[in-house]
Amino acid sequence: MTRTESHPAWLLPSGFEDVLPARTEALERCRRALLDLYARWGYRQVIPPLVEHLESLLTGSAADLDLQTWKLLDQDSGRLVGLRSDMTPQMARIDAQTSSAKEVRRLSYAGTVLRARPDLLGGSRAPFQMGAELFGVEGAEGDLEVLSLMVESLIHCAVPDLLLDIGHVGISQTLADAAGLEGALRAELLRHVERKAWSDVRTWLREHHCGMELTADFHALSGLQGDFDVLEQARRYLGHYPAVRAALDDLQCVWSVLRARYPDLEIQCDLSEIHGHRYHTGLLFSLFGPQRGEALASGGRYDDIGAAFGRRRAATGFSLDIKPLLPGFPDSGRMGRVWAPAGMDDLLWQSIQEHRRAGFVVLQDLQRQDVPSPQDLQAQGFDAVLIQEATGWKVQRLDS
């Protein structure tokens, strides 16, 4: 068997798919609705390029994205370029290049990102990513706006039974700093925490002579998951660290306000969750639907990323892939479909255009002038036909 026979030309690479008309229409409705929502909150859309120099996409704390980034050689310059796997570093670059130091900036975006590996088994490697990023606002106020907009996004997409999971990378980072180690050793400890490999954490702390008190602090951290009461438990066990108290203050503020704004929103926390800790610098948040499983939207604070572009700016934001949201996205109602006969008559053309401008979908048959039976037209999804009368062309409903 030849290679062509075993790998047909029409077979797409793993993780890629055609988006066919019905799903494309739903995706476009969802995209427009969310961009309109973000615009009403003051977030202005930008369109970054699909390809950038690799050092721009992976600079600074964005280096976490290295394994997800497709890399190519630019034959024009001879430099390595990457296909974006996430738009947040691009937002940071745009903000750093175009904003003033104290300006509050709200940006939104929508477009395909490309992943070298799927996020989960059998998942897409070409998510359609949308999101919003807020620059220039420190502290809980900025996090609250972004969190609220993330919740509103999924409410807008009619996702029921939402669960918000929040955490703060600063808590684990503070404990890691208390070990007194830097560079590769500190990163190794945080990798164990990220994997929630607590036995490895204990072994690591013992091997590096970090003491019983710090070991007890990490043991306490491993159990800090649950509802609002967990924040008080964290104060009791870890409140001797000023940075931990500050992180808990932010979490308590955000949690209390969100409970008042969204009484039906279920909220939980996992204070040991630090996914993307080389990228994020503060609050982390993920929003889940009724099936739970993978998060439908996620984000967090990432104040350090802009420094690589010459301007460190407070920054927080979220992103989501709208493809998993499409099955539940509300249909705005199908536009009426009108059948029109073949012909190049000027009055027929004017009537077709008039009804298209009025919002109808008008399909001219191009091959037949005689009107098919109402049953045949309804089977093809038509609601009406254009018929010629003495006074001109008129629409006649099929059910009249």
Side-chain angles (χ1 to χ4, degrees):
M1 180 180 293
T2 66
R3 182 173 180 82
T4 302
E5 291 170 336
S6 61
H7 298 278
W10 48 263
L11 187 64
L12 294 175
S14 172
F16 293 90
E17 62 177 350
D18 293 312
V19 184
L20 299 179
R23 196 156 177 247
T24 297
E25 290 165 3
L27 187 149
E28 183 62 13
R29 288 198 310 272
C30 185
R31 185 192 71 86
R32 291 177 183 175
L34 289 179
L35 285 176
D36 287 345
L37 171 67
Y38 301 159
R40 290 193 294 272
W41 284 54
Y43 288 77
R44 303 181 67 187
Q45 184 186 4
V46 295
I47 304 176
L50 181 63
V51 176
E52 290 203 34
H53 291 125
L54 198 59
E55 57 268 31
S56 176
L57 289 177
L58 303 182
T59 191
S61 51
D64 258 7
L65 303 173
D66 186 29
L67 293 178
Q68 284 285 28
T69 301
W70 294 79
K71 301 169 181 73
L72 308 167
L73 182 66
D74 179 6
Q75 296 190 26
D76 181 52
S77 66
R79 296 173 62 183
L80 276 177
V81 296
L83 303 176
R84 66 186 182 208
S85 61
D86 180 38
M87 290 201 209
T88 305
Q90 296 182 298
M91 297 300 107
R93 175 185 56 75
I94 290 172
D95 174 72
Q97 291 176 329
T98 61
S99 65
S100 61
K102 296 183 179 180
E103 179 184 0
V104 173
R105 195 83 178 277
R106 293 173 171 89
L107 300 177
S108 67
Y109 53 88
T112 298
V113 296
L114 296 172
R115 304 274 169 82
R117 304 176 181 182
D119 290 334
L120 66 159
L121 185 64
S124 173
R125 290 199 285 171
F128 193 93
Q129 189 179 72
M130 297 192 65
E133 312 292 332
L134 173 63
F135 298 94
V137 180
E138 302 272 2
E141 292 81 5
D143 294 322
L144 263 171
E145 174 165 303
V146 166
L147 266 164
S148 298
L149 185 54
M150 184 175 75
V151 173
E152 292 286 340
S153 296
L154 294 197
I155 292 175
H156 212 66
C157 294
V159 179
D161 304 324
L162 294 174
L163 168 67
L164 174 66
D165 187 89
I166 58 176
H168 198 297
V169 299
I171 297 174
S172 294
Q173 289 174 340
T174 298
L175 268 60
D177 291 340
L181 301 171
E182 298 180 354
L185 287 175
R186 181 181 183 275
E188 184 181 356
L189 174 58
L190 287 172
R191 280 197 299 271
H192 292 319
V193 175
E194 185 175 20
R195 293 189 296 110
K196 300 187 186 299
W198 298 112
S199 61
D200 291 344
V201 170
R202 289 192 296 272
T203 300
W204 191 97
L205 293 171
R206 184 174 61 253
E207 291 176 349
H208 291 83
H209 311 290
C210 293
M212 295 301 296
E213 290 185 6
L214 186 59
T215 301
D217 290 341
F218 273 101
H219 177 71
L221 177 65
S222 70
L224 293 175
Q225 304 100 25
D227 58 18
F228 192 75
D229 293 339
V230 167
L231 302 185
E232 284 308 313
Q233 296 175 31
R235 287 187 192 279
R236 190 160 61 248
Y237 296 132
L238 303 175
H240 48 284
Y241 297 102
V244 171
R245 292 199 301 272
L248 293 172
D249 287 343
D250 284 348
L251 283 166
Q252 187 164 354
C253 172
V254 165
W255 197 320
S256 299
V257 173
L258 287 175
R259 282 200 302 189
R261 289 180 179 178
Y262 304 102
D264 296 330
L265 176 65
E266 185 180 352
I267 307 176
Q268 66 180 27
C269 72
D270 181 351
L271 299 186
S272 65
E273 178 58 60
I274 59 167
H275 66 272
H277 64 88
R278 291 170 292 273
Y279 182 83
H280 292 290
T281 60
L283 256 69
L284 290 172
F285 32 85
S286 298
L287 200 51
F288 298 83
Q291 305 301 320
R292 303 305 186 238
E294 291 293 313
L296 297 178
S298 60
R301 180 163 288 279
Y302 55 99
D303 290 341
D304 291 339
I305 189 172
F309 301 111
R311 179 174 293 159
R312 183 191 181 279
R313 295 259 284 163
T316 183
F318 75 92
S319 64
L320 54 86
D321 176 9
I322 66 175
K323 288 181 179 179
L325 305 178
L326 299 182
F329 188 75
D331 193 338
S332 58
R334 186 173 65 84
M335 293 182 290
R337 289 167 57 90
V338 179
W339 182 91
M344 291 180 282
D345 175 68
D346 188 53
L347 291 178
L348 172 60
W349 168 252
Q350 292 178 23
S351 180
I352 289 172
Q353 289 297 90
E354 177 185 336
H355 286 89
R356 285 171 175 163
R357 286 190 290 267
F360 292 95
V361 176
V362 184
L363 280 73
Q364 190 172 18
D365 192 290
L366 303 182
Q367 293 181 322
R368 60 185 300 178
Q369 293 182 322
D370 58 306
V371 180
S373 70
Q375 293 81 7
D376 288 345
L377 288 172
Q378 287 175 327
Q380 297 174 51
F382 288 102
D383 305 291
V385 296
L386 267 180
I387 59 172
Q388 189 172 26
E389 297 181 348
T391 56
W393 291 90
K394 303 292 183 184
V395 166
Q396 178 179 299
R397 292 191 58 84
L398 295 173
D399 56 7
S400 61

